[in-house]
Structure formats: C-alpha cells, structure tokens
C-alpha cells in the first residue's frame, strides 16, 4: 500500500510541478517577505503570526488552483490504477500538504536566519520556543488553508464562482469571528465552522510571547479542523464520483 501511495504521490506532484500553479504562490511569498521585513526591527510574534496568515491565504489559493486544474479523466485513471480509493486520496492529500510545508519552511527560515545574522532584526531576541510554537501555528495555518480551499472542489461545486464566494465568506468569518461572537453570543458556533487562523493573535495580544499550552491547543484545533474538512471532502468526492 505504501509503495502504491508513493507512486501516486510522485505522479501527482510531477503534474503540479510541470504546471504553472506554483508561480503565483511563490511570487506572493517573496513579495510578502520583502515587504514584511523591509522595516526593522520587527516584533517576533507579530511577524510569525502575519506569516501564518499569509500562508493560509497562499494555501487556500494554491489548493483551489490545483483542484480546479485537475483533469477528471486523468484523475479517474489514477484512481483506477491505485490499489484502493484510500491510497489515491492519501496521495492526493500528501501532495497538497507537502507543498504547503515547503512554503511554511521558507516563511519560518527566512526571519530565523536573518535574526541570527542580525541581532537587531527583531525587537527582542528570537528564542527556540518562538520558532517551535510560532512554527506550529504557521504550519497549522497552512493546513487549514489547504483543507478549506480543497473543500470547495470543482466536483462538489460545479460553478467556480460559488466555490470562490464560499471560500471568501468562510475566510472573512474566520477573521471577524471574535468581534461577531462578542456582539452575538449564538455565533460561538463559528469556533467550529471556521479555521482558527486568528486565535494566535488573540492569544498573544500585546505580550509578544507565544504561550506554550495555548499554542499547542491552537495547533490541535487547526489539525482537527483540517482533518474534519478533508474527511467531509473525501466522502463527498466518493459519493459524487466523476
């Protein structure tokens, strides 16, 4: 099974790499880093949390572009030649996750290396725990973006405009949820329905410190949201077929 998953992964990742899908996300990443760190010194937590939000946006865009460009006949052939549907969908998820992780590493490594070379890069010294817990939120945000963008798959939403509207709506609700919940308590359900991409900002506040337990809880929440969205999407895709 693992060999079959690896073979499917190589086939799908090569398809993505041969396309122009990664051009815009790469340009956005470079532009963000250049703009974000053009003025020094920067706040540690603020920089990493903004990087996490940027990765969420990039991952949403990336996953939507990849699934919209998928050729249904080609995907059906890949599924036919896989040992099981499970192998096919695992390989498909791994492609999206691995690409998101590459951008996460870039967004985390750049400020880390710059801070080592330039002690005045941040307003305070960058600590290992900042990299670890800030990195967890960064990676989790990427997973949430991948899961959300791919949930609005073109086989589930046949009209692209509805998929785009749905992604934008959920993303806006995720950004504004704390203000909405403060005014309308019944909207606490948004904690479940939207990705926790703003929870890190709420946790840090004005402290510029990543709370260890709080960061782990946010990361766990991000993983739970991503897993739930992926399971729902896979069940729908299995039901809809081609």
């Amino acid at each position: 099974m693992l060999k079959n998953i690896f073979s499917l992964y190589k086939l799908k990742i090569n398809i993505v790499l041969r396309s122009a899908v990664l051009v815009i996300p790469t340009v956005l990443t470079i532009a963000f880093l250049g703009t974000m760190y053009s003025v020094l010194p920067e706040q540690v937590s603020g920089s990493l949390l903004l990087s996490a939000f940027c990765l969420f946006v990039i991952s949403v865009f990336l996953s939507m572009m990849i699934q919209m460009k998928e050729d249904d006949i080609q995907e059906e052939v890949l599924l036919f030649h896989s040992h099981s549907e499970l192998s096919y969908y695992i390989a498909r998820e791994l492609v999206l996750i691995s690409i998101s992780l590459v951008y996460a590493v870039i967004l985390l490594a750049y400020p880390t290396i710059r801070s080592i070379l330039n002690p005045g890069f941040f307003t305070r010294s960058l600590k290992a725990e900042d990299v670890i817990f800030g990195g967890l939120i960064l990676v989790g945000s990427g997973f949430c973006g991948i899961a959300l963008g791919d949930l609005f798959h073109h086989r589930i939403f046949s009209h692209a405009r509805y998929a785009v509207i749905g992604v934008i709506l959920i993303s806006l609700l995720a950004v504004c949820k704390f203000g909405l919940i403060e005014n309308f308590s019944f909207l606490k359900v948004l904690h479940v329905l939207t990705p926790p991409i703003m929870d890190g900002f709420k946790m840090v506040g004005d402290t510029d410190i990543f709370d260890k337990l709080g960061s782990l809880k946010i990361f766990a929440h991000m993983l739970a949201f991503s897993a739930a969205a992926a399971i729902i999407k896979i069940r729908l895709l299995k039901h809809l077929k081609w």
Side-chain angles (χ1 to χ4, degrees):
M1 181 178 177
L2 289 176
K3 184 178 180 181
N4 184 234
I5 292 174
F6 183 65
S7 297
L8 290 169
Y9 172 85
K10 287 198 301 182
L11 286 171
K12 288 192 66 63
I13 196 69
N14 284 333
I15 292 171
V16 173
L17 294 177
R18 285 199 302 266
S19 69
V21 171
L22 301 182
V23 173
I24 294 178
T26 301
V27 171
L28 288 175
T29 301
I30 295 172
F32 171 80
L33 290 173
T35 304
M36 179 71 193
Y37 300 107
S38 60
V39 179
L40 301 179
E42 290 285 350
Q43 190 183 51
V44 173
S45 63
S47 299
L48 295 180
L49 290 174
L50 284 174
S51 296
F53 182 78
C54 175
L55 182 60
F56 170 78
V57 174
I58 289 173
S59 297
V60 168
F61 176 84
L62 179 68
S63 59
M64 291 198 75
M65 289 299 100
I66 290 176
Q67 56 95 349
M68 284 180 177
K69 289 181 179 294
E70 282 181 345
D71 184 276
D72 287 345
I73 296 176
Q74 187 178 55
E75 293 301 310
E76 193 171 6
V77 170
L78 287 175
L79 178 59
F80 178 76
H81 286 287
S82 64
H83 291 168
S84 66
E85 284 190 334
L86 181 60
S87 297
Y88 168 78
Y89 285 110
I90 288 176
R92 190 176 180 282
E93 295 299 317
L94 288 176
V95 168
L96 297 173
I97 289 172
S98 60
I99 295 173
S100 178
L101 284 174
V102 169
Y103 286 106
V105 170
I106 293 171
L107 289 168
L108 184 61
Y110 180 81
T112 302
I113 294 172
R114 286 288 303 274
S115 67
I116 293 173
L117 299 176
N118 179 11
F121 188 73
F122 287 115
T123 54
R124 64 173 177 83
S125 299
L126 182 68
K127 301 177 181 178
E129 60 189 40
D130 295 319
V131 177
I132 294 171
F133 295 106
L136 286 178
I137 294 177
L138 182 64
V139 169
S141 295
F143 289 170
C144 287
I146 287 292
L148 180 61
D150 208 35
L151 180 61
F152 289 83
H153 195 279
H154 69 270
R155 275 165 47 205
I156 301 173
F157 294 85
S158 56
H159 296 287
R161 63 177 178 273
Y162 295 142
V164 173
I165 290 171
V167 167
I168 292 174
L169 177 61
I170 294 180
S171 298
L172 288 175
L173 288 173
V175 171
C176 304
K177 72 175 182 179
F178 288 111
L180 291 172
I181 292 171
E182 186 177 344
N183 290 288
F184 308 99
S185 59
F186 67 90
L187 289 178
K188 287 182 179 179
V189 68
L190 290 177
H191 285 305
V192 177
L193 299 178
T194 62
I197 55 175
M198 302 303 292
D199 291 32
F201 292 96
K202 179 78 170 178
M203 174 191 68
V204 170
D206 297 325
T207 63
D208 194 24
I209 296 174
F210 288 104
D211 178 71
K212 297 178 182 178
L213 181 59
S215 298
L216 290 174
K217 286 181 178 179
I218 293 171
F219 182 64
H221 188 180
M222 288 174 165
L223 291 181
F225 174 87
S226 302
I231 291 171
I232 292 171
K233 172 198 65 190
I234 290 171
R235 286 187 176 276
L236 288 172
L237 291 177
K238 282 184 175 181
H239 175 71
L240 294 170
K241 297 298 181 181
W242 278 273

